[in-house]
Amino acid sequence: MSTSQYDLVIIGSGPAGATTARFAAEQGLKVLLVDKRQELGAPIQCSGAVSRHALEEVGVAPEEEFIHEPIYGFGIYNEKGEKKTIDYRQLKAEEYGQEEGKKPLGYVVDRRRFDRYLMTQAERAGVEVWLKTEGLSYQPNNDGSCDVYLRRFNQAITARARVLVGADGLQSQVGKWANLRTHIKITELASCLQFIVDQVETDGLLEIITGHEWAPGGYAWVFPKGHGYAEIGLGVIPTMTDKNAQWHLDQFIKHSFFKERFRNSRILEIQGGGVPLASPLRTQYADNLILVGDAARHVNPITGGGIHTALSGGAIAGNFLADFLNQGRQPTAANLKAYQDGWLEEIGNKMWQLYEVKTDIFRTHDIRQRDALLFQTMSGYFSPHSEYKKI
Amino acid sequence: MSKKEPVIFDIGWNACINCGACVAICPKEAGFISAFDTIAVGRPCDIACLLCEDICPVSTITHKAA
Ligand SMILES: Cc1cc2nc3c(=O)[nH]c(=O)nc-3n(C[C@H](O)[C@H](O)[C@H](O)COP(=O)(O)OP(=O)(O)OC[C@H]3O[C@@H](n4cnc5c(N)ncnc54)[C@H](O)[C@@H]3O)c2cc1C
Ligand code: SF4
Ligand code: SF4
């Protein structure tokens, strides 16, 4: 069968892939965006918390279509339940709040609707999108292009591209196709489980519960989910416990200082996933190929948040590739290194610093000392004066 | 270090929440994935590090010798 030609073929239409696609297409590139799923974002493997700033930065309007609930700050708890409140409705009352003329700090989004919205924006910018299309492998050609092998509704298709973008998330295979070192250490991947529940009250804050007793190696959380629902979840590092995330979540719900609050909770949905508390990949490019988002481990190593970094990484990748290809440059690994250099300068170097902070915490063997450090770091991280606010 | 014996996995689909964590941690070459986006079942894994079992939030992966 004939081979279609594109400037970019992008594998994966999560926040990273859809944003890369939109920025590239807006600057004239011919882009094919593929995703193997039938419904983007489903099954949900994310809590959906994202700052308003992260959306604004990439020109995404906060549409009702995908917002579960606006957020105004944080409640950080230590292992005993002592709380540090960082409520921007109080800290900066003139700016943040529900009232007319004021705004939220961020949102909890529905990833099914959010990812579909981002894909739609890409499509409207001229991107060709194929769902139910799985990326299988790629092969660089002698003429500077590459062939990308796809399967779409059981049909084998080859698409020719100048650059292949791996935006295929944490389970990324694209990096492996190019023999990049993508392996995550078991000490740096949190095993997460979360329940969407009814009958648990929240107050516009993202609540984060630290402490080895509740979530060894990670933390627990309670997020507002809109419509009066909440999400209770946690992530644990498997080498720091001999129980699984399910056991820890059960303990947290039934035996923590929140047990009264959770007493009448009813489970409406069950979700989970792996969250890397790891460094970015050291090499995020190869001949005809770059990685972006979770696939490149563009994830905040302290919070595990990756939507903001996927969106901003997508914008960086889209802008870079548009400039690069519009100048007629050859997409060799050596030339594509400039993508990673630019990304490091804009956000990556700060992520490396956060990784050092996180590593220092978990290098502390004494549990009480480690708990105290994590609580202190989380509280500082979300404060209005945090130097890392923009990640 | 002695080389591990190959293993073959069974996944209790009733408990699997399709979270993808097992694929994320797996160091095997590209494509060792089942039709349900978990690590592959029904074909042997010669690395046998069992990290996939360790990361599973609901402990629904088990193995036997291949
Ligand atoms: C339990 C949990 C809670 C989280 N909570 C938050 C949070 O509150 N806030 C936050 O900022 N981050 C959170 N994260 C992290 C966040 O979900 C990720 O960082 C984010 O989704 C990364 O976006 P992405 O576009 O890189 O990848 P993804 O969103 O994973 O998208 C990858 C896409 O690629 C597709 N794909 C994969 N392989 C192929 C293939 N071979 N062919 C075609 N398509 C393919 C997939 O179907 C998917 O649509 C959480 C993660 C987990 C696991
Ligand atoms: S044992 Fe290790 S290599 Fe084999 S499937 Fe599990 S994680 Fe992958
Ligand atoms: S880690 Fe467990 S629950 Fe998650 S996809 Fe794999 S088998 Fe299913």
Side-chain angles (χ1 to χ4, degrees):
Chain A
M1 91 169 282
S2 71
T3 305
S4 309
Q5 308 237 5
Y6 299 90
D7 293 314
L8 305 181
V9 170
I10 302 177
I11 310 281
S13 185
T19 308
T20 307
R22 174 164 59 92
F23 275 74
E26 277 167 354
Q27 292 166 78
L29 296 193
K30 188 177 178 207
V31 183
L32 173 66
L33 174 63
V34 306
D35 201 290
K36 63 184 177 184
R37 297 191 190 187
Q38 68 202 74
E39 181 185 18
L40 293 181
I44 290 184
Q45 299 169 353
C46 181
S47 304
V50 61
S51 67
R52 183 176 47 81
H53 164 79
L55 301 186
E56 280 174 358
E57 206 178 61
V58 295
V60 172
E63 297 287 350
E64 245 177 60
E65 178 182 345
F66 59 75
I67 290 176
H68 275 317
E69 193 160 333
I71 294 298
Y72 299 94
F74 306 89
I76 316 290
Y77 297 81
N78 69 8
E79 71 286 358
K80 294 193 222 94
E82 291 158 359
K83 181 181 183 187
K84 167 142 176 89
T85 303
I86 307 167
D87 190 338
Y88 282 73
R89 288 170 294 197
Q90 289 152 15
L91 291 170
K92 295 188 173 184
E94 66 297 341
E95 204 178 336
Y96 295 98
Q98 283 103 324
E99 302 85 0
E100 184 79 25
K102 297 187 184 178
K103 46 196 182 176
L105 185 68
Y107 306 93
V108 172
V109 300
D110 178 343
R111 283 296 304 270
R112 288 168 287 222
R113 295 296 160 258
F114 184 61
D115 288 22
R116 189 182 71 181
Y117 179 88
L118 297 175
M119 176 192 74
T120 307
Q121 298 308 100
E123 206 152 33
R124 288 179 183 165
V127 174
E128 196 174 331
V129 185
W130 296 351
L131 294 178
K132 270 309 213 189
T133 305
E134 187 177 6
L136 300 175
S137 62
Y138 95 122
Q139 179 68 50
N141 299 318
N142 290 333
D143 66 357
S145 69
C146 68
D147 285 337
V148 185
Y149 302 100
L150 306 168
R151 186 163 48 215
R152 184 186 192 196
F153 280 104
N154 288 335
Q155 192 191 359
I157 297 177
T158 306
R160 183 153 295 175
R162 294 160 81 192
V163 176
L164 167 66
V165 179
D168 52 337
L170 193 64
Q171 297 88 20
S172 179
Q173 304 290 299
V174 175
K176 289 186 178 182
W177 298 349
N179 293 320
L180 294 178
R181 292 189 52 171
T182 59
H183 188 233
I184 308 175
K185 290 188 231 158
I186 187 76
T187 49
E188 298 194 332
L189 187 65
S191 173
C192 301
L193 188 67
Q194 61 195 33
F195 297 149
I196 312 298
V197 295
D198 193 16
Q199 310 217 34
V200 171
E201 289 199 3
T202 55
D203 176 31
L205 300 180
L206 299 178
E207 295 175 86
I208 290 175
I209 300 89
T210 60
H212 183 87
E213 186 176 359
W214 308 118
Y219 61 84
W221 62 86
V222 183
F223 286 2
K225 248 6 212 203
H227 316 285
Y229 305 144
E231 177 181 292
I232 309 174
L234 54 70
V236 299
I237 294 290
T239 49
M240 295 181 80
T241 169
D242 54 7
K243 302 286 198 304
N244 65 17
Q246 187 179 17
W247 184 89
H248 284 283
L249 188 54
D250 189 60
Q251 285 289 111
F252 178 60
I253 291 174
K254 290 194 184 132
H255 302 294
S256 74
F257 43 83
F258 277 161
K259 64 176 187 261
E260 283 308 316
R261 183 183 179 195
F262 295 158
R263 184 177 290 284
N264 295 319
S265 62
R266 293 288 173 272
I267 297 173
L268 310 179
E269 276 185 56
I270 300 167
Q271 302 160 358
V275 169
L277 303 171
S279 66
L281 291 192
R282 285 184 189 275
T283 308
Q284 310 171 5
Y285 57 87
D287 284 339
N288 299 95
L289 180 148
I290 66 160
L291 301 178
V292 65
D294 269 14
R297 228 141 337 107
H298 292 176
V299 182
N300 183 317
I302 301 258
T303 65
I307 301 177
H308 185 168
T309 41
L311 293 170
S312 44
I316 292 169
N319 284 334
F320 170 85
L321 290 168
D323 274 356
F324 185 93
L325 294 177
N326 286 334
Q327 285 166 19
R329 299 190 60 198
Q330 283 300 309
T332 57
N335 287 342
L336 288 171
K337 177 176 180 293
Y339 153 67
Q340 179 172 310
D341 294 341
W343 177 82
L344 280 169
E345 200 168 308
E346 280 197 51
I347 36 181
N349 287 332
K350 279 225 161 131
M351 287 175 70
W352 272 101
Q353 285 171 18
L354 282 175
Y355 176 67
E356 299 301 332
V357 173
K358 176 248 153 184
T359 308
D360 278 348
I361 297 174
F362 288 99
R363 229 183 249 139
T364 311
H365 285 291
D366 182 81
I367 290 178
R368 284 177 54 188
Q369 215 179 335
R370 191 168 66 221
D371 279 356
L373 263 178
L374 185 62
F375 175 67
Q376 196 188 337
T377 306
M378 282 287 191
S379 306
Y381 182 84
F382 290 113
S383 86
H385 314 295
S386 167
E387 59 174 309
Y388 301 111
K389 219 166 55 183
K390 296 280 161 69
I391 314 188
Chain B
M1 210 169 74
S2 66
K3 190 164 161 27
K4 297 202 171 117
E5 293 297 322
V7 292
I8 197 152
F9 289 102
D10 183 39
I11 292 185
W13 299 113
N14 171 259
C16 172
I17 56 166
N18 231 259
C19 74
C22 50
V23 176
I25 199 69
C26 178
K28 253 185 101 57
E29 72 281 357
F32 197 72
I33 301 182
S34 77
F36 300 105
D37 283 341
T38 64
I39 47 129
V41 287
R43 52 192 161 116
C45 167
D46 52 352
I47 297 180
C49 64
L50 304 185
L51 295 178
C52 47
E53 293 188 11
D54 294 340
I55 201 76
C56 179
V58 293
S59 303
T60 196
I61 309 178
T62 51
H63 69 274
K64 56 182 190 217

